[in-house]
Amino acid sequence: LSQHMEESSRNLDEKQRNALEEMRRTFRDLDGIGMPMNDQTFLRYLRARNFHVDKSTHMLHETIKWRKDFGLESIHSTWKETIAFENATGKTYVRGYDNEGHAILYMKPRNENSKSHDGNLKHVVYNLERAIACMEATTHQEKLVLIIDYDGFSMSNAPPMKTSKATLNILQDHYPERLFRAYVIRPLTIFYGFYKLISPFIDPVTKAKIVMLTNKVMADDNNQLFKEIDRSTIETCAGGFDSRPFDSKLYLNVPFHVEFHSALTLEDSHSPGVHSSANIHPEPVHVDEKKAATSAVDKDDVIKT
């Protein structure tokens, strides 16, 4: 990791090095509420503001304040019930890596099971933090990949516009320079209407990282998705060959830095201790099954791949 950090700062010009040193002096002794105050963090915020020190400093101060106000120090404690409920239908989770080691975050809007603004935001943040933890523990990449599967989506599955806007704000304001690629799988006509509504709130840099994959494109074995990610690790719903369904209980009971593909590999090999992680839920999480059943989408859709 230290070597990666050195390489990140080695190619800076004098002005950029001075900006980095200023960020070090300002933030090195502050508590990032789970976010390390190191060169990687400083450089992400500097790049997000074109190495304008005042703007970068303000942005990072705002993120630290947001992390405290949002309660990120409680992600492994008081969030447990919320995450267990929001994750039950498999609408968002970390599974596998692309060819360069970027963690893959799957999103399946058809599996939306909640209209809770706070619950949805916490669930997204939980999975962003988990993707970052997975990369920090393995590949040392900083950016993640989104695979958004719109098969079966309807506007009845869409979260409130307030939640969609807040999610975009969190991604852009508090996770800068974290997105490598966003693959949108089989976007329906209705999606383009939804995208048109939220696109004014998406910055141009983020827009350039979005890859639309229609049915026609997905039929091409040489499309960008299959070039950048090993198909044997991609779920069948996204054109890959891994047909194993998502299991929320397994996902939430392996160490926080283990994504779902690795969790399945561990389970398949019958390695001891797969379900014994204290990192996430040291005590069993009890979900109101009746509540989940009434507010969740069709269970057959949850595991359809």
Side-chain angles (χ1 to χ4, degrees), residues 172 209 244:
Q172 293 176 169
K209 298 176 181 178
R244 294 171 296 178

Side-chain angles (χ1 to χ4, degrees), residues 10-191:
R10 187 177 298 159
N11 298 320
L12 304 178
D13 61 30
E14 183 178 359
K15 180 181 178 181
Q16 292 170 338
R17 286 195 299 271
N18 290 338
L20 176 59
E21 185 57 39
E22 183 66 27
M23 294 287 278
R24 288 169 177 163
R25 286 194 294 267
T26 303
F27 292 101
R28 66 167 39 134
D29 295 325
L30 297 186
D31 181 3
I33 320 295
M35 180 176 62
M37 293 291 97
N38 59 23
D39 284 1
Q40 285 181 293
T41 297
F42 304 151
L43 285 169
R44 281 198 306 275
Y45 280 78
L46 284 167
R47 291 187 180 109
R49 292 296 178 263
N50 295 316
F51 280 84
H52 191 295
V53 176
D54 289 343
K55 291 180 180 180
S56 303
T57 299
H58 176 74
M59 187 183 192
L60 184 49
H61 273 305
E62 288 296 304
T63 291
I64 293 172
K65 181 180 183 299
W66 168 79
R67 290 178 73 87
K68 184 175 182 179
D69 294 344
F70 198 69
L72 262 160
E73 72 279 356
S74 302
I75 193 171
H76 302 302
S77 54
T78 59
W79 287 26
K80 290 189 301 182
E81 292 281 351
T82 298
I83 300 305
F85 178 75
E86 295 285 343
N87 191 253
T89 57
K91 61 185 177 185
T92 305
Y93 50 89
V94 187
R95 181 173 187 165
Y97 300 89
D98 73 359
N99 295 339
E100 296 182 8
H102 304 105
I104 301 170
L105 188 62
Y106 280 84
M107 292 182 152
K108 299 179 179 180
R110 68 172 178 270
N111 291 343
E112 181 58 69
N113 65 328
S114 168
K115 295 296 183 182
S116 168
H117 178 73
D118 183 65
N120 268 298
L121 293 183
K122 283 183 175 177
H123 187 236
V124 169
V125 169
Y126 169 89
N127 282 289
L128 288 170
E129 291 289 317
R130 187 155 180 179
I132 292 165
C134 289
M135 291 186 290
E136 288 178 345
T138 55
T139 64
H140 305 305
Q141 288 284 8
E142 296 184 74
K143 298 186 179 185
L144 57 87
V145 168
L146 297 180
I147 292 182
I148 310 172
D149 176 19
Y150 272 95
D151 184 38
F153 172 76
S154 70
M155 287 306 291
S156 64
N157 304 129
M161 181 56 65
K162 172 186 175 182
T163 304
S164 297
K165 288 173 64 176
T167 300
L168 281 172
N169 288 338
I170 287 172
L171 288 168
Q172 293 176 169
D173 296 342
H174 305 306
Y175 292 90
E177 297 292 304
R178 284 293 191 185
L179 180 63
F180 177 71
R181 193 88 70 230
Y183 301 100
V184 182
I185 308 292
R186 302 184 186 92
L188 305 177
T189 302
I190 196 170
F191 164 77

Side-chain angles (χ1 to χ4, degrees), residues 187-286:
L188 305 177
T189 302
I190 196 170
F191 164 77
Y192 288 103
F194 180 69
Y195 182 73
K196 186 175 181 180
L197 288 174
I198 65 170
S199 61
F201 307 104
I202 304 176
D203 66 67
V205 175
T206 300
K207 279 184 182 178
K209 298 176 181 178
I210 298 174
V211 179
M212 297 289 185
L213 297 170
T214 63
N215 282 319
K216 181 179 180 180
V217 176
M218 289 297 290
D220 181 359
D221 289 339
N222 292 312
N223 70 50
Q224 187 172 347
L225 173 65
F226 301 152
K227 287 181 178 179
E228 297 184 344
I229 307 176
D230 183 348
R231 288 184 77 174
S232 69
T233 66
I234 302 175
E235 291 189 9
T236 52
C237 67
F241 304 136
D242 192 340
S243 61
R244 294 171 296 178
F246 178 68
D247 180 340
S248 181
K249 289 183 178 179
L250 174 61
Y251 181 62
L252 296 181
N253 284 284
V254 293
F256 192 64
H257 62 274
V258 175
E259 37 71 40
F260 186 65
H261 184 270
S262 295
L264 286 172
T265 302
L266 287 170
E267 186 181 48
D268 290 345
S269 65
H270 304 290
S271 297
V274 175
H275 299 283
S276 62
S277 169
N279 292 13
I280 303 173
H281 302 308
E283 299 175 5
V285 176
H286 301 287

